[in-house]
Amino acid sequence: LCRKALKPMGKDYLAALDEGFSNRWIDVYENEGKRSGAYSAGTVVHPYVLLNYTGTLDSQFTLAHEMGHAIHTYHSNKKQPHVYAGYRIFVAEVASTCNEVLLMRSLLEKCTDNRERKYLLNHFLEQFKGTLFRQTMFAEFEMQTHEALRNGEALGAQDICNIYRKLNEKYFGSDMVLDKQIEYEWARIPHFYTPFYVYQYATGFSAAIAIARSLIDGYKKGDDSAREGYFRFLSGGSSMHPIELLKLCGIDMTSPAPVEAALDVFEELLDEFENGI
């Protein structure tokens, strides 16, 4: 599924993907003592991916996501000197999320069963909720708590809980039933202990939605310009400012356009889901 979905990337990308599949880049299966979750770690030789593949749809998305990181690293290491090979956090989630979007678009395009299509649409909508909306809420939580500290306010645990609960009420609305325990969730989210990381999931997801659309359109039309721009991005490492790297793909993150375009896609998907396809 993953390989077929990534055809718009072209033969060079698929060759790197096959290299990873065939030459032990990936620690695939669950094992005693192996950590949960998934991640990609870059090395000079080649990237390594750790995941726990179980054959589910979620496993396919995890594989696509982590190989997006891996091939981003692979091309940056290949094209840049060591000092510039590592890419900045601002663009770190773009390549991985773009692969997930391409996989979802491929599945939706081929799906003919209404129940299956609703399942896929719900999965895609959950990605928007978890990545675009929820991570933005997380970022606002960080902004409010750090701003309070900068202003000399003393924040106890309950003060932080109150901030987090009010944000859940704001973002998810009055129809959502909020348990008392939701106000403690902030304490177990590891990203908050690496400040000002989470907003980049939302910006990266918005950029990835736009990039995936241009790659698919270019693939269908036989136009390689979007793919060529994307490969320049993948090969850029930290040789350029992240904003300038994304402009190679036609994405200007200094404007609201990418986020607004992603929200338009969300609205289209939600309308289709609510109207029963």
Side-chain angles (χ1 to χ4, degrees):
L1 285 179
C2 182
R3 192 182 190 284
K4 289 179 181 177
L6 298 179
K7 278 186 177 181
M9 298 291 202
K11 62 181 181 180
D12 290 340
Y13 192 96
L14 294 178
L17 189 72
D18 290 339
E19 175 80 10
F21 286 166
S22 303
N23 291 295
R24 300 176 65 85
W25 289 15
I26 310 169
D27 183 0
V28 182
Y29 297 113
E30 293 178 298
N31 207 342
E32 186 175 350
K34 185 178 178 181
R35 61 168 282 181
S36 61
Y39 67 87
S40 173
T43 69
V44 175
V45 180
H46 60 69
Y48 286 91
V49 169
L50 179 145
L51 48 78
N52 294 289
Y53 189 84
T54 59
T56 62
L57 182 63
D58 281 342
S59 288
Q60 288 287 338
F61 278 101
T62 299
L63 178 62
H65 182 101
E66 297 304 332
M67 289 307 290
H69 283 310
I71 295 176
H72 190 180
T73 300
Y74 174 79
H75 282 287
S76 289
N77 283 344
K78 190 175 179 181
K79 296 293 185 180
Q80 298 296 330
H82 180 72
V83 68
Y84 294 125
Y87 40 83
R88 304 286 178 84
I89 292 174
F90 189 82
V91 297
E93 297 299 331
V94 173
S96 55
T97 309
C98 184
N99 278 10
E100 286 195 72
V101 175
L102 286 171
L103 176 55
M104 177 56 75
R105 288 296 189 191
S106 175
L107 291 170
L108 285 171
E109 188 175 315
K110 294 176 174 61
C111 182
T112 56
D113 181 83
N114 275 0
R115 291 182 64 190
E116 183 179 317
R117 187 171 183 82
K118 275 202 165 184
Y119 177 87
L120 292 171
L121 286 170
N122 182 68
H123 193 285
F124 205 4
L125 290 167
E126 283 290 327
Q127 283 184 297
F128 275 87
K129 187 267 288 181
T131 309
L132 192 53
F133 289 95
R134 194 162 181 259
Q135 300 296 332
T136 302
M137 182 189 78
F138 286 174
E140 189 168 351
F141 170 75
E142 283 190 305
M143 183 182 71
Q144 288 189 21
T145 51
H146 284 259
E147 187 67 28
L149 291 172
R150 278 195 295 270
N151 291 337
E153 298 178 33
L155 287 180
Q158 191 56 53
D159 297 312
I160 300 174
C161 288
N162 291 341
I163 292 171
Y164 193 79
R165 181 178 182 85
K166 286 177 182 176
L167 284 170
N168 270 272
E169 292 169 351
K170 173 184 174 181
Y171 273 77
F172 295 105
S174 58
D175 290 337
M176 176 67 72
V177 176
L178 292 177
D179 296 326
K180 169 71 175 172
Q181 288 79 7
I182 193 64
E183 66 186 41
Y184 305 115
E185 185 184 40
W186 64 268
R188 64 104 179 148
I189 296 172
H191 295 79
F192 291 150
Y193 301 95
T194 306
F196 308 113
Y197 182 94
V198 290
Y199 81 91
Q200 292 158 117
Y201 281 107
T203 54
F205 185 79
S206 300
I209 290 288
I211 292 169
R213 175 172 280 182
S214 65
L215 286 168
I216 292 169
D217 289 346
Y219 177 68
K220 290 179 177 178
K221 296 174 183 176
D223 181 357
D224 294 336
S225 57
R227 186 165 63 213
E228 289 167 359
Y230 188 60
F231 266 85
R232 289 197 295 272
F233 163 76
L234 291 179
S235 303
S238 57
S239 62
M240 298 170 66
H241 190 279
I243 295 293
E244 299 305 315
L245 280 170
L246 285 168
K247 285 180 180 178
L248 298 174
C249 307
I251 308 300
D252 183 4
M253 293 305 296
T254 64
S255 83
V259 176
E260 290 173 350
L263 291 172
D264 287 343
V265 173
F266 177 78
E267 186 174 10
E268 291 168 12
L269 294 168
L270 188 58
D271 286 344
E272 182 179 357
F273 186 86
E274 290 180 336
N275 292 330
I277 308 180

